[in-house]
Amino acid sequence: MKYYTSTTEFNCGIDLHARQMYVCVMDRQGKKLVHTNVRDNDFVFFLKLVEPYKHSLTVCCECMFGWYWLADACQDVGLTFVLAHALYVKAIHGGKNKNDRVDSEKLTHLLRSNLIPPAYVYPADKRPLRALLRQRIFYVWRRSELLARIHSHQLAHNRIPAKQTRRTRDLWEEALLNAEDHPLRQIALKNDLAMIKHFDRQIFQLEEELQRQTKKVACREYSLLQTVPGIGESLGLTILYEIGDISRFPTVKDFLSYCRLVKGTVASAGKIKGLRGAKLGNPYLRWAFGEAAVIAKRDHYLVGPLSQRLEAQMNGNKFKANTVLAIKLARAVYFMLKNKTVFDPERLVASMQKCFSPGRRQPGSLTGRAKKAMPPPVPEDASCAPSTALCVGQASSPAH
């Protein structure tokens, strides 16, 4: 766990809610200077309270649902803002009594004592794009629920579900409606199909806008991501905007931890008692790299055979094998974005060699037909920066 180091003379902890915030201001010695409730989240009144201390003040609140406006307002007036990781703070400060007054005071004590575990403040100018992307993912998941519902309905009546069509659903809809003879079930089916069509239109519009905006702000990074096996247009957008600035991760281990691809250990007296922290990190990145691993395993000429051998070595455990592959792809993405390089499949082969048990025949470098089947390099876009040398980082064992 990393902690934020406060360098200002005064520190302010805020217990933030939807319609009010409890403010506590202390100096370095722990003397309370302000401790009061601010109704209706009146930021102008808050500035009046902290006016004598704003020349050297750090403001901190927990990472809850409503912190965007406070972070932006503090930035506009030149106040240092720190976002506290809510789960870690809860584990640190604890207590018998809990209320807004106590919480704001404890948050201030942690801030002045340099015990605040910070969360990332996503840049305000990039938040709308990320919100648009998450809206698209939400719509895709809701559409998938409707498609699965129709599929289950067909199986419930002992029918072979009609094969779906991706671009135009007219033939699929016609086959479904022709197979349904009950008028009420036809009405229910038409309702689901109408909702799916609506989701199709909205998702298509969102994708067009996301592509347009991405070409303006992150064309090169987006092109680099699409050279990775299993990462196409949609997953590339998800990974790009959920990562934000790759330089915020000092090491590849920090990045893998943020992607929920590694777990923490619980150890005592030199013995590992178990694992924890599986849900600490970004769920969208965990989903994206998991999807990329499955697609790469299914479609890529080189990743598929290696993944199947890895799965056989793990006694048929698909989930574990896919997780190992997702870790390899995430490591590649980290070094690619860090060094501005494209994906190199030969480095992936070298990285996966350590995943196989000693004594087994190790996969060699690309030769013969596999080397000829290698896809051609991505052409440079005129609006993007020129590419550099190939690199995906050092090979490592799946445990790291």
Side-chain angles (χ1 to χ4, degrees):
M1 189 185 300
K2 298 178 176 64
Y3 300 98
Y4 177 79
T5 301
S6 176
T7 57
T8 54
E9 183 181 354
F10 304 102
N11 295 284
C12 173
I14 298 179
D15 189 48
L16 185 63
H17 296 275
R19 294 289 178 268
Q20 63 182 19
M21 56 181 181
Y22 218 101
V23 178
C24 180
V25 179
M26 292 183 184
D27 60 14
R28 276 291 172 188
Q29 289 69 43
K31 180 182 177 181
K32 284 191 285 187
L33 305 172
V34 176
H35 203 192
T36 185
N37 192 26
V38 177
R39 299 205 174 267
D40 299 323
N41 288 335
D42 189 347
F43 192 73
V44 175
F45 180 65
F46 167 76
L47 289 179
K48 292 179 181 178
L49 290 175
V50 301
E51 180 65 32
Y53 323 107
K54 64 183 296 185
H55 63 281
S56 182
L57 179 68
T58 299
V59 179
C60 176
C61 79
E62 290 183 83
C63 180
M64 305 302 285
F65 65 92
W67 62 269
Y68 284 179
W69 72 268
L70 182 60
D72 297 343
C74 288
Q75 184 179 11
D76 290 341
V77 296
L79 292 177
T80 303
F81 178 81
V82 181
L83 190 63
H85 195 293
L87 184 59
Y88 287 153
V89 167
K90 180 180 179 181
I92 292 172
H93 75 66
K96 187 172 182 179
N97 294 323
K98 186 183 184 307
N99 53 54
D100 296 348
R101 185 179 182 86
V102 171
D103 287 349
S104 63
E105 182 178 348
K106 286 189 175 181
L107 200 62
T108 312
H109 276 302
L110 293 175
L111 180 60
R112 74 178 185 85
S113 304
N114 299 331
L115 288 175
I116 286 291
Y120 180 61
V121 180
Y122 203 88
D125 58 332
K126 297 181 180 179
R127 279 186 221 137
L129 260 177
R130 188 182 66 166
L132 206 62
L133 174 73
R134 290 182 175 182
Q135 186 182 59
R136 178 203 167 272
I137 294 174
F138 177 80
Y139 288 168
V140 170
W141 288 347
R142 297 293 83 78
R143 182 180 64 179
S144 298
E145 290 178 359
L146 290 171
L147 292 170
R149 177 177 173 174
I150 291 176
H151 188 85
S152 299
H153 174 81
Q154 300 300 306
L155 296 178
H157 291 84
N158 197 27
R159 302 193 192 107
I160 299 176
K163 188 175 181 180
Q164 261 188 68
T165 51
R166 297 292 181 183
R167 296 296 178 184
T168 56
R169 302 185 186 272
D170 297 339
L171 296 177
W172 176 64
E173 292 179 5
E174 184 179 351
L176 287 174
L177 292 172
N178 290 338
E180 186 57 71
D181 54 355
H182 196 284
L184 294 181
R185 289 201 292 264
Q186 272 198 351
I187 294 175
L189 187 58
K190 287 179 180 178
N191 289 335
D192 284 341
L193 293 174
M195 291 299 296
I196 290 172
K197 274 189 173 181
H198 183 67
F199 276 126
D200 284 341
R201 286 194 299 270
Q202 298 304 121
I203 291 170
F204 179 74
Q205 292 175 6
L206 284 173
E207 289 174 346
E208 278 193 325
E209 185 61 31
L210 285 167
Q211 294 280 349
R212 190 180 304 113
Q213 295 296 328
T214 302
K215 288 178 181 178
K216 294 179 182 178
V217 299
C219 173
R220 175 158 176 73
E221 290 79 3
Y222 185 47
S223 300
L224 291 177
L225 285 173
Q226 292 184 74
T227 65
V228 181
I231 297 181
E233 294 181 353
S234 298
L235 290 181
L237 289 170
T238 301
I239 293 171
L240 180 65
Y241 290 120
E242 292 299 334
I243 290 175
D245 185 6
I246 193 65
S247 62
R248 67 188 177 104
F249 301 104
T251 66
V252 68
K253 292 182 180 180
D254 294 317
F255 178 66
L256 295 179
S257 177
Y258 183 72
C259 295
R260 291 190 177 184
L261 291 171
V262 292
K263 299 178 182 178
T265 57
V266 180
S268 179
K271 296 180 181 178
I272 296 179
K273 304 294 185 180
L275 302 173
R276 71 176 181 184
K279 293 188 177 181
L280 287 175
N282 190 305
Y284 295 96
L285 283 175
R286 178 63 183 90
W287 166 79
F289 281 116
E291 288 290 309
V294 172
I295 296 171
K297 179 180 176 181
R298 182 191 67 194
D299 296 340
H300 197 266
Y301 69 99
L302 178 63
V303 175
L306 292 177
S307 299
Q308 290 174 4
R309 289 180 56 191
L310 184 63
E311 182 182 326
Q313 181 174 304
M314 294 178 174
N315 300 319
N317 191 330
K318 288 186 178 181
F319 180 79
K320 190 174 181 180
N322 290 346
T323 301
V324 171
L325 180 56
I327 290 173
K328 297 298 180 184
L329 296 179
R331 288 178 61 87
V333 166
Y334 174 81
F335 287 106
M336 288 165 57
L337 294 179
K338 202 88 168 177
N339 303 326
K340 306 298 181 186
T341 55
V342 297
F343 182 80
D344 181 6
E346 293 206 17
R347 297 295 294 273
L348 179 66
V349 172
S351 177
M352 293 190 71
Q353 283 183 354
K354 293 186 178 181
C355 299
F356 294 91
S357 300
R360 290 178 177 261
R361 185 172 61 86
Q362 304 299 322
S365 60
L366 299 185
T367 58
R369 186 177 300 175
K371 196 164 188 176
K372 291 179 181 178
M374 208 176 138
V378 178
E380 293 182 4
D381 194 316
S383 62
C384 299
S387 62
T388 55
L390 302 177
C391 176
V392 296
Q394 299 175 351
S396 71
S397 64
H400 294 297

